[in-house]
Amino acid sequence: MAGKNNETSAAQPKIWVLYARFGEGHLQAAQALKSGFERAGVDNVKLVDLLAEAHPRLNGLSRFVYKKSYTLWPKAYGFVYNATKDMRPHSAFAYLLHSFGVPKLRKMLKAELPDAVIHTFPNLALPFADKRNRLNIPMFNVITDFDLHMRWVHPRIRKYYIATEELGHQLASIGIPRSRIAVTGIPLRRPFGPAGDLRADVLRYGLDPARRVVLYMAGADAGRTDVSRRCRRLAAETGAQIALVCGRDSALETAMRRSFASGRDNVFVFGYVERMDELMGLSDCIVTKPGGLTLSEAIEAGLPMFLLRPMPGQEWSNAQYLQAKGAAVVCGSSDELARSVSVFLTDGKRREEMKAAVASLRKRNAADRIALDILANLPIIKSNGNRFAANRKPSYRRIGEGWPARSQTAAAAAAATPGSAGGEAANRAALREAEPQLALSGAANSAERGE
């Protein structure tokens, strides 16, 4: 049995997912992709925080500055974001941004050669670690926002997996072939268990099933005083229950539990919530900051969004996109937030309009669809009759920047997914089901592949 397991492991492709801990979204997307590959039968997936491994002190300082930028210098952050938004992949500034971690990545590549590298954070060090593309490792980008920053773009990216059609048009407008653009949505964690009874879930979280629920993500604010004041006002003006989630900020959780200990304010305090899908399922709307992953989770749950003071940069772009679609309301003050949520909860027509707008943006099973699409398109060449030799690096040949013909994709998917014939057939069927939704234009894809 052990020999068989070793053989199966050797026959699997090695997938690296590179992320960073600037917020939790990039890591959560990476974890979701890992789960997607595992459901496709591929367990050899490594998550790599390259900046943390290569420069732990610089990484800690950068994360601290990033977090503080929300309160201390948001306009400066927005200025830098917008000033670099249109930078070119081979510019000096792009080289500087992508150069962090290059020596560490070279050492990692000498020790172990992956068959694909996926980015959920735009630190594209591989083109600089392998300048002449001698290793020819396919790279894929999973963009975790609703707007395009050129830091994500590089000529050697094989395919871009994105959240919206509009983002696809942005990529196409700068010359990215449509065959390399897949509108899949942002990969999300799956629920950790079966959906429960709604009333039982409400009672388990200590909520009143007869009253509406506003889900308030404390990341929408920086100061504890602001959080408690806004939650009290929301509860008083809307008559709703406020489910206040503090996440991993234990100090904030302690302060909020103390602030609302009397229980008279109808504010229910939670720390880190493992089954956020349950709490979202119990809520009528969400107040949050517009990070790509949280917004995607809200869309998946069908929750209209109230976005409080979006930070200049990608948050502002995300917020403006969703407001233009009718799925969100951008609020610049506590007064505006209270009024907007109150109107939403009391105006049935307004609620239905926003819910319909949110539903129109929903894209399900992104992690599974991305994993299957990557496996179907890995340009792997057999070595001595075995796709991956157990004790040697796999051999590659250059295939240019194009994709295999459609006739090759089913065979590639089957070869990349070990298991029973029934399991391989199921994966091929899932790929066929997902394929029409993956590309912006099937006709454009066929034309570029020469079909």
Side-chain angles (χ1 to χ4, degrees), residues 406 439-449 451:
R406 191 182 302 271
L440 283 173
S441 171
N445 292 351
S446 299
E448 288 196 29
R449 289 171 176 150
E451 295 179 359

Side-chain angles (χ1 to χ4, degrees), residues 95-112:
Y95 177 82
L96 173 65
L97 288 176
H98 297 312
S99 64
F100 294 104
V102 167
K104 174 66 175 180
L105 184 58
R106 287 196 182 114
K107 291 181 181 179
M108 294 172 63
L109 292 171
K110 287 182 180 179
E112 181 183 16

Side-chain angles (χ1 to χ4, degrees), residues 36-64:
F37 279 104
E38 289 171 349
R39 287 190 291 270
V42 177
D43 300 317
N44 201 348
V45 181
K46 178 189 291 187
L47 305 189
V48 181
D49 186 343
L50 183 60
L51 185 59
E53 293 195 20
H55 308 286
R57 291 183 179 178
L58 176 61
N59 179 64
L61 176 62
S62 300
R63 291 180 60 193
F64 175 80

Side-chain angles (χ1 to χ4, degrees), residues 280-337:
M280 284 186 168
L282 304 176
S283 303
D284 294 275
C285 63
I286 182 172
V287 177
T288 183
K289 74 184 193 71
L293 263 289
T294 302
L295 296 178
S296 295
E297 288 179 339
I299 291 170
E300 178 73 11
L303 278 183
M305 294 154 274
F306 294 85
L307 309 177
L308 182 60
R309 292 181 179 176
M311 183 176 175
Q314 68 267 33
E315 283 195 5
W316 177 256
S317 299
N318 291 344
Q320 292 301 306
Y321 172 79
L322 290 172
Q323 180 166 258
K325 290 293 185 180
V329 177
V330 178
C331 303
S333 67
S334 298
D335 290 342
E336 188 177 1
L337 175 65

Side-chain angles (χ1 to χ4, degrees), residues 23-285:
E24 293 296 311
H26 304 290
L27 171 59
Q28 290 179 14
Q31 291 171 332
L33 287 171
K34 185 175 188 293
S35 298
F37 279 104
E38 289 171 349
R39 287 190 291 270
V42 177
D43 300 317
N44 201 348
V45 181
K46 178 189 291 187
L47 305 189
V48 181
D49 186 343
L50 183 60
L51 185 59
E53 293 195 20
H55 308 286
R57 291 183 179 178
L58 176 61
N59 179 64
L61 176 62
S62 300
R63 291 180 60 193
F64 175 80
V65 171
Y66 174 79
K67 185 175 181 179
K68 289 298 181 182
S69 66
Y70 279 85
T71 52
L72 300 181
W73 45 82
K75 291 184 179 179
Y77 177 88
F79 173 80
V80 173
Y81 178 89
N82 291 319
T84 60
K85 190 174 181 180
D86 296 324
M87 70 181 188
R88 293 299 174 226
H90 297 297
S91 66
F93 193 68
Y95 177 82
L96 173 65
L97 288 176
H98 297 312
S99 64
F100 294 104
V102 167
K104 174 66 175 180
L105 184 58
R106 287 196 182 114
K107 291 181 181 179
M108 294 172 63
L109 292 171
K110 287 182 180 179
E112 181 183 16
L113 193 63
D115 300 295
V117 169
I118 305 168
H119 302 98
T120 64
F121 181 81
N123 181 21
L124 312 183
L126 181 54
F128 300 95
D130 180 24
K131 290 183 178 179
R132 297 185 180 181
N133 200 21
R134 289 175 175 172
L135 299 177
N136 200 18
I137 301 172
M139 290 184 292
F140 305 87
N141 279 359
V142 178
I143 300 180
T144 51
D145 283 302
F146 293 78
D147 187 54
L148 179 63
H149 192 289
M150 285 295 291
R151 188 174 176 181
W152 286 99
V153 177
H154 193 277
R156 281 166 56 182
I157 299 302
R158 300 275 182 173
K159 201 161 189 177
Y160 297 84
Y161 298 95
I162 59 176
T164 70
E165 299 281 352
E166 289 80 1
L167 185 50
H169 295 314
Q170 285 182 274
L171 285 166
S173 71
I174 60 172
I176 305 299
R178 289 184 180 270
S179 58
R180 295 191 196 177
I181 303 170
V183 185
T184 57
I186 297 173
L188 304 174
R189 297 171 296 174
R190 278 191 170 183
F192 294 96
D197 175 74
L198 183 61
R199 182 178 176 84
D201 287 341
V202 170
L203 296 174
R204 182 157 52 84
Y205 283 98
L207 301 171
D208 182 351
R211 302 181 67 179
R212 296 196 178 277
V213 179
V214 175
L215 177 60
Y216 193 110
M217 306 297 289
D221 287 297
R224 298 173 188 174
T225 303
D226 289 338
V227 174
S228 60
R229 186 179 68 248
R230 287 184 180 130
C231 286
R232 278 195 175 90
R233 183 167 182 180
L234 277 171
E237 293 196 16
T238 66
Q241 305 167 99
I242 311 301
L244 170 59
V245 177
C246 301
R248 299 185 188 275
D249 191 336
S250 57
L252 177 63
E253 180 188 356
T254 299
M256 292 302 100
R257 289 190 184 280
R258 187 181 303 119
S259 180
F260 297 109
S262 68
R264 293 191 300 268
D265 297 292
N266 285 318
V267 178
F268 300 81
V269 180
F270 303 92
Y272 176 75
V273 179
E274 185 73 25
R275 288 295 305 271
M276 184 55 70
D277 60 295
E278 287 184 345
L279 201 50
M280 284 186 168
L282 304 176
S283 303
D284 294 275
C285 63

